[in-house]
């Protein structure tokens, strides 16, 4: 009986490793705030996430803030329907809806939806707090705890403009993939700090194309935001970018597929 249990455990572990390595799409396309534009879905909603999944994007990006009462919620702007998220309780935020009728999603609801599929990664952006750096670090720590609680580590890669928040994620989960967004750190500095890669504005990379090669040489990943022009998409593909974040996932998918 023990030998059968041991064999089952080995098979389960093998399946998990295979799943984490092979099941997600590898087409470089990261849908910015979900795939919202072509079907007029509100950004950062379950509807835009489902559309990114339906398209077969490698990743779907979403933004996370913390409410006044410590709840992590998914929204791009610092306010939701005129209510500042960081100084408003979650229950009050639920009194308003997105344009499609959806409520503001808690991180648990969003991750639960993302885990229903095995092809599209969830690109978890930790928004820097407007209140303090320490609150940014708290949001980062709570984000990692929420992902672990939901057992969503295989689905999630993290990005953030908060350098301190990124370091907190790395400290909280050394196995996590964390990319930095701001553009004020060289690839060498990111490598030394333990980041997975960078996710810099396309304009920044156009001015510093050497950073792409430096990052690749250091084993860092290269992503760019927000890339909506075909010329920029083709340039990044030629430069060997690992991911491209775009509001036009359909266009980028058509280019990659050709």
């Amino acid at each position: 009986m023990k030998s059968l249990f041991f064999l089952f455990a080995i098979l389960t572990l093998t399946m998990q490793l295979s799943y984490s390595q092979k099941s997600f799409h590898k087409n470089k396309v990261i849908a910015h705030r979900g795939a919202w534009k072509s079907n007029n879905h509100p950004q950062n909603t379950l509807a835009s996430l489902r559309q990114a999944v339906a398209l077969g994007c490698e990743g779907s990006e979403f933004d996370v803030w913390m409410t006044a009462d410590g709840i992590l919620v998914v929204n791009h702007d610092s306010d939701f329907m005129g209510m500042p998220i960081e100084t408003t309780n979650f229950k009050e935020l639920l009194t308003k809806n997105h344009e499609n009728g959806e409520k503001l999603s808690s991180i648990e609801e969003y991750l639960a939806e993302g885990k229903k599929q095995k092809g599209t990664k969830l690109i978890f952006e930790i928004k820097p707090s407007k209140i303090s750096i320490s609150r940014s670090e708290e949001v980062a720590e709570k984000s990692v705890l929420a992902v672990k609680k939901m057992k969503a580590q295989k689905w999630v890669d993290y990005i953030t403009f908060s350098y301190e928040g990124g370091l907190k994620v790395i400290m909280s989960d050394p196995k996590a993939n964390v990319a930095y967004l701001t553009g004020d750190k060289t690839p060498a500095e990111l490598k030394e700090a333990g980041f997975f890669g960078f996710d810099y504005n396309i304009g920044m990379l156009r001015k510093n194309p050497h950073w792409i090669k430096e990052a690749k040489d250091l084993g860092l990943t290269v992503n760019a935001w927000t890339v909506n022009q075909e010329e920029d998409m083709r340039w990044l593909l030629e430069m060997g970018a690992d991911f491209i974040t775009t509001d036009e996932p359909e266009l980028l998918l058509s280019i990659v597929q050709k």
Side-chain angles (χ1 to χ4, degrees):
M1 183 63 71
K2 287 184 178 179
S3 61
L4 286 174
F5 177 80
F6 181 73
L7 179 60
F8 177 76
I10 292 294
L11 288 172
T12 301
L13 178 60
T14 301
M15 289 174 65
Q16 289 174 340
L17 289 172
S18 176
Y19 165 61
S20 64
Q21 293 168 357
K22 297 179 181 178
S23 70
F24 293 105
H25 303 301
K26 298 293 182 185
N27 54 36
K28 304 179 185 287
V29 181
I30 309 299
H32 185 228
R33 308 176 197 172
W36 54 272
K37 193 171 183 179
S38 63
N39 289 286
N40 201 31
H41 294 307
Q43 301 172 7
N44 275 302
T45 57
L46 299 182
S48 64
L49 169 60
R50 293 184 190 116
Q51 184 63 25
V53 170
L55 287 173
C57 297
E58 181 163 348
S60 185
E61 183 264 352
F62 61 101
D63 306 281
V64 176
W65 297 88
M66 186 170 70
T67 66
D69 50 345
I71 306 299
L72 298 180
V73 296
V74 179
N75 196 62
H76 178 264
D77 294 341
S78 59
D79 70 278
F80 180 66
M81 300 298 169
M83 295 182 286
I85 293 173
E86 292 197 273
T87 56
T88 305
N89 288 335
F90 183 54
K91 185 176 181 180
E92 187 176 353
L93 291 166
L94 292 179
T95 62
K96 300 288 183 71
N97 296 341
H98 286 285
E99 294 88 342
N100 67 346
E102 281 189 35
K103 298 290 187 184
L104 188 71
S105 292
S106 70
I107 191 58
E108 289 81 8
E109 291 167 332
Y110 197 90
L111 292 175
E113 181 66 30
K115 283 185 63 182
K116 292 179 181 178
Q117 52 82 45
K118 302 176 182 180
T120 299
K121 296 273 283 189
L122 306 177
I123 311 303
F124 189 130
E125 180 175 342
I126 300 166
K127 301 297 283 188
S129 171
K130 293 179 176 292
I131 297 172
S132 67
I133 290 175
S134 62
R135 185 177 171 89
S136 293
E137 293 174 323
E138 181 184 359
V139 175
E141 190 169 19
K142 281 194 170 185
S143 295
V144 173
L145 289 174
V147 170
K148 288 182 177 179
K149 177 184 176 182
M150 295 295 295
K151 294 181 172 56
Q153 295 97 315
K154 296 186 186 73
W155 282 263
V156 169
D157 287 349
Y158 299 92
I159 57 176
T160 185
F161 284 97
S162 170
Y163 188 70
E164 295 81 7
L167 294 177
K168 180 63 72 171
V169 174
I170 293 167
M171 184 185 307
S172 302
D173 183 2
K175 294 181 180 179
N177 295 333
V178 188
Y180 184 53
L181 288 161
T182 303
D184 59 347
K185 302 291 183 183
T186 65
E189 289 174 316
L190 295 177
K191 178 70 174 180
E192 184 176 0
F195 282 84
F196 171 66
F198 65 64
D199 185 354
Y200 286 171
N201 180 268
I202 178 61
M204 179 70 68
L205 292 183
R206 284 287 198 179
K207 292 177 182 177
N208 299 280
H210 59 283
W211 278 359
I212 297 176
K213 183 179 185 307
E214 288 177 21
K216 304 289 280 187
D217 289 345
L218 289 167
L220 298 175
T221 57
V222 172
N223 194 353
W225 59 270
T226 300
V227 185
N228 295 331
Q229 301 301 317
E230 182 172 344
E231 179 184 356
D232 289 328
M233 293 175 180
R234 292 188 181 279
W235 179 76
L236 286 165
L237 291 170
E238 290 171 4
M239 294 293 287
D242 298 282
F243 316 107
I244 300 174
T245 299
T246 180
D247 292 324
E248 306 282 357
E250 296 89 351
L251 172 61
L252 181 53
L253 280 166
S254 70
I255 293 171
V256 170
Q257 288 165 358
K258 288 177 183 177

